[in-house]
Amino acid sequence: MDRTISNLEKRKILRRQIIKSGAGVAGAVAVVVLIISLMRTELHRKDLQISTVETGVIEVSVNASGKVVPAFEEIINSPINSRIVELYRKGGDSVEVGTPILKLDLQASETEYGKLLDEEQMRRLQLEQLRIVNQNKLSEMEMRLKVSRMELSRKEVELRNERYLDSLGAGTTDKVRQTELSYNVGQLQLNEDEQKYINERTLSEADLRVKELELNIFSKSLAEARRTLEDAQIRSPRRAILTYVNNEVGAQIQQGSRVAIVSDLSHFKVEGEIADVYGDRIGAGYRAVVRIGRDRLGGTVSDVTPLSKNGVISFTVQLEEDNFPRLRSGLKTDVYVMNAIKEDVLRIANGTYYTGAGAYELFVVDGDRLLRRKVVLGESNFDYVEVVEGLRPGEEVVVSDMVDFQGKDKLKLKQ
């Protein structure tokens, strides 16, 4: 006959079922883990990057970060305080030399320039007026000098006549003395007039030079104002791409503020940054290699900032092939700057495993096994890393990323 199962027995039955199910799941998980572990300890050679230890030359380099920028880029600033009236071009447009980009309100500047033109004309007239006045004054003085010379000549004749008459007994000594005195006074007066004429001519020439100099200075200021007014008609200085333009029509623009940028996007250079601790390893003229993905471009360091900013030194690399198709403004790159050469050193291929000189644990090929070994690495460049100790020529080393096998000292290698 049927009997009723108690709640206690029901719980015992349920517990046994749960334990059996858990044991089954745990066993399955263990099997999966075992399989994965076995798979992880067996690697195919074709899936690895393996480098052979060899003897050779290493051009030692320091690694820096870089950014591709246009080889030429010009910022156009507003030369005056004004406001934007109209836009002629937008960002991304191609522009030729002299292409209008935007229009500024130039009414006040044009009015001021007109006043300066009138003032220049007035200064020219004043200079001409001074020249005429001085010429008239000197002409009058020259005329007076002629009269004084003629008067002196007349007194000289009278003096000779009186002396002749006195020698004949027809004249008097007093008359001779009076005539001689009049002649001497005339001579002194003529000398004074001649000196006044010389002084006046020198003074007139100096006044003219001062006025001419003032006019020249003003003309230069006028030319500067004309150039500023021409620059205020914002135009492209060369054939390029308009990479930025202030498109806020009606906005007030302060003198010196940026209104547009034109860039030559057909040629590029690289601006690099490196920690200042490597400042002694980089200098103008050093050879550099820029890596873009798998592509490498040669170049030369053209300039280095003399001061460190936030622990970083900036430099510029001029590329040998500055129109390479993959170059794009803003593209991030790796830059390797060559600073020394080491000959007859052991070397292996560079890779993501290398983070600087020091001790490493790398997997070395031993028949059908990979054995973990401690090695010491030194300097590097973008191709090779110097082996200081731990490896022998001809040995093969895995240079792939082996971070997933950090706990393994031995791995199986399948061909």
Side-chain angles (χ1 to χ4, degrees), residues 79-232:
I80 60 173
N81 295 323
S82 183
R83 66 184 183 89
I84 299 176
V85 177
E86 188 175 356
L87 290 175
Y88 299 127
R89 293 290 185 272
K90 62 180 182 297
D93 287 352
S94 298
V95 290
E96 302 290 336
V97 177
T99 300
I101 297 175
L102 56 83
K103 181 180 180 181
L104 299 178
D105 185 1
L106 304 180
Q107 184 174 357
S109 298
E110 290 174 344
T111 301
E112 183 64 26
Y113 179 68
K115 291 180 181 179
L116 293 177
L117 284 176
D118 293 339
E119 185 175 351
E120 183 193 35
Q121 184 65 23
M122 181 182 67
R123 287 174 178 267
R124 291 187 182 279
L125 292 176
Q126 288 176 345
L127 177 62
E128 187 62 28
Q129 184 180 22
L130 179 62
R131 185 178 287 111
I132 294 173
V133 169
N134 290 343
Q135 185 63 39
N136 289 337
K137 186 182 294 185
L138 291 176
S139 296
E140 291 176 359
M141 295 184 71
E142 287 178 355
M143 187 60 66
R144 286 198 297 269
L145 281 175
K146 289 181 180 179
V147 172
S148 297
R149 291 190 183 101
M150 293 174 64
E151 184 66 22
L152 185 62
S153 296
R154 184 184 63 79
K155 291 180 178 181
E156 185 180 10
V157 172
E158 288 180 354
L159 179 58
R160 281 200 307 268
N161 291 337
E162 289 297 331
R163 286 176 176 172
Y164 179 72
L165 292 174
D166 183 52
S167 66
L168 296 177
T172 63
T173 304
D174 291 340
K175 184 65 173 177
V176 172
R177 289 177 179 175
Q178 183 179 1
T179 305
E180 186 175 358
L181 179 62
S182 177
Y183 173 78
N184 290 335
V185 170
Q187 182 68 50
L188 292 175
Q189 185 65 46
L190 177 61
N191 292 339
E192 181 182 4
D193 290 344
E194 288 177 342
Q195 189 61 47
K196 285 183 178 179
Y197 175 78
I198 292 173
N199 294 341
E200 184 64 31
R201 185 175 61 187
T202 303
L203 182 61
S204 298
E205 291 175 352
D207 287 343
L208 280 175
R209 284 198 296 270
V210 169
K211 289 294 183 181
E212 288 173 349
L213 183 59
E214 290 178 351
L215 179 59
N216 288 336
I217 293 175
F218 186 83
S219 296
K220 291 178 180 178
S221 300
L222 182 63
E224 180 66 19
R226 184 187 303 112
R227 186 186 66 81
T228 300
L229 187 61
E230 291 174 352
D231 290 345

Side-chain angles (χ1 to χ4, degrees), residues 303-341:
D303 59 83
V304 181
T305 55
L307 298 177
S308 170
K309 184 177 181 181
N310 298 325
V312 172
I313 292 177
S314 300
F315 61 94
T316 302
V317 176
Q318 300 294 336
L319 298 173
E320 297 171 358
E321 191 177 356
D322 60 3
N323 59 348
F324 187 70
R326 289 195 60 187
L327 292 173
R328 295 290 183 274
S329 181
L331 182 66
K332 300 295 184 181
T333 67
D334 291 323
V335 182
Y336 300 86
V337 181
M338 312 302 170
N339 57 81
I341 296 179

Side-chain angles (χ1 to χ4, degrees), residues 351-366:
T352 56
Y353 69 93
Y354 182 76
T355 58
Y360 289 80
E361 291 187 349
L362 302 179
F363 283 98
V364 181
V365 177
D366 182 15

Side-chain angles (χ1 to χ4, degrees), residues 374-411:
K374 184 176 180 179
V375 299
V376 179
L377 303 179
E379 302 284 0
S380 71
N381 62 16
F382 57 94
D383 281 326
Y384 298 104
V385 177
E386 177 190 10
V387 177
V388 178
E389 62 179 55
L391 295 174
R392 297 184 300 274
E395 289 189 310
E396 293 181 316
V397 183
V398 177
V399 294
S400 303
D401 185 2
M402 302 293 283
V403 67
D404 293 336
F405 305 97
Q406 290 182 351
K408 303 292 182 181
D409 294 328
K410 183 188 302 183
L411 298 173

